[in-house]
């Protein structure tokens, strides 16, 4: 198939655009490779291409910062989810400890009231608070060792 006359100008335009882009890229590489200062009279093409290079650098920096922020926010989002889960767990543990403390306070209050009863009735057996050091429940025997003795 022969190209139509409509496609021929489009092909020429495409080739010209590609040549311009390649030329600009070559100039950019040359500008990047030489650190020499030039004037308008020594390299007029540089003054045409330099703004394009600067805009490309600014766009590249902007996109790079944007990606860094996105990655940072993704990490922060994941950490936020983990911390929220940890908060729920700690909240549940805290509530369990509060209930346990309330129960212990109720038991201590009962012990105090029993101790008060022995004081009021003039009974010589007051209650003494003690901690359980060891428990042994095996077979037919059971024993508990506390941190108080008969003198207490």
């Amino acid at each position: 198939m022969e190209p139509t006359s409509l496609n021929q100008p489009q092909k020429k335009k495409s080739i010209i655009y590609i040549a311009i882009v390649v030329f600009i890229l070559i100039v950019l590489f040359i500008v990047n490779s030489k650190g020499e200062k030039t004037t308008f009279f020594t390299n007029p093409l540089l003054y045409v291409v330099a703004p394009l290079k600067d805009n490309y650098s600014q766009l590249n920096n902007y996109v790079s910062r944007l990606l860094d922020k996105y990655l940072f926010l993704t990490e922060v989002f994941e950490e936020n989810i983990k911390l929220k889960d940890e908060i729920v767990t700690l909240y549940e543990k805290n509530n369990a400890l509060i209930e346990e403390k309330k129960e212990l306070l109720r038991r201590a209050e009962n012990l105090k009231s029993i101790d008060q009863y022995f004081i009021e009735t003039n009974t010589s057996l007051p209650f003494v608070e003690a901690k359980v050091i060891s428990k042994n429940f095996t077979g037919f025997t059971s024993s508990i060792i506390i941190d108080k003795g008969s003198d207490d």
Side-chain angles (χ1 to χ4, degrees):
M1 286 178 91
E2 284 198 30
T4 62
S5 61
L6 292 175
N7 286 337
Q8 203 63 291
Q10 290 176 349
K11 284 185 180 182
K12 286 181 183 179
K13 284 182 183 179
S14 298
I15 291 172
I16 291 172
Y17 288 139
I18 291 172
I20 290 172
V21 169
V22 169
F23 180 73
I24 290 173
L25 289 174
I26 290 171
V27 170
L28 288 175
F29 285 123
I30 292 171
V31 169
N32 282 336
S33 65
K34 293 183 180 179
E36 300 172 2
K37 200 171 192 179
T38 59
T39 63
F40 179 75
F41 296 108
T42 58
N43 196 347
L45 185 60
L46 180 62
Y47 282 90
V48 174
V49 177
L52 297 175
K53 178 184 172 285
D54 291 340
N55 289 336
Y56 171 76
S57 295
Q58 289 175 355
L59 179 65
N60 188 20
N61 290 338
Y62 176 75
V63 170
S64 176
R65 286 191 310 258
L66 190 65
L67 286 175
D68 288 344
K69 287 179 182 178
Y70 173 75
L71 293 174
F72 175 74
L73 288 177
T74 302
E75 291 173 6
V76 168
F77 180 74
E78 291 172 358
E79 183 181 3
N80 190 18
I81 290 173
K82 289 178 186 175
L83 290 174
K84 284 182 178 181
D85 290 343
E86 189 175 342
I87 286 172
V88 169
T89 303
L90 291 174
Y91 184 76
E92 291 171 352
K93 285 182 181 178
N94 188 38
N95 285 341
L97 289 172
I98 288 172
E99 289 302 317
E100 184 179 331
K101 181 180 178 182
K102 286 180 182 178
E103 181 60 31
L104 289 174
L105 287 173
R106 274 189 234 116
R107 287 182 183 176
E109 192 61 39
N110 287 341
L111 288 176
K112 287 179 184 177
S113 64
I114 292 172
D115 192 33
Q116 186 66 30
Y117 169 77
F118 281 115
I119 291 171
E120 289 173 0
T121 57
N122 229 359
T123 309
S124 62
L125 299 173
F127 278 90
V128 175
E129 195 174 319
K131 292 182 183 177
V132 175
I133 296 174
S134 172
K135 299 178 190 176
N136 186 8
F137 301 110
T138 57
F140 296 105
T141 62
S142 300
S143 63
I144 296 176
I145 299 174
I146 58 172
D147 65 347
K148 301 287 180 182
S150 59
D151 293 339
D152 295 318

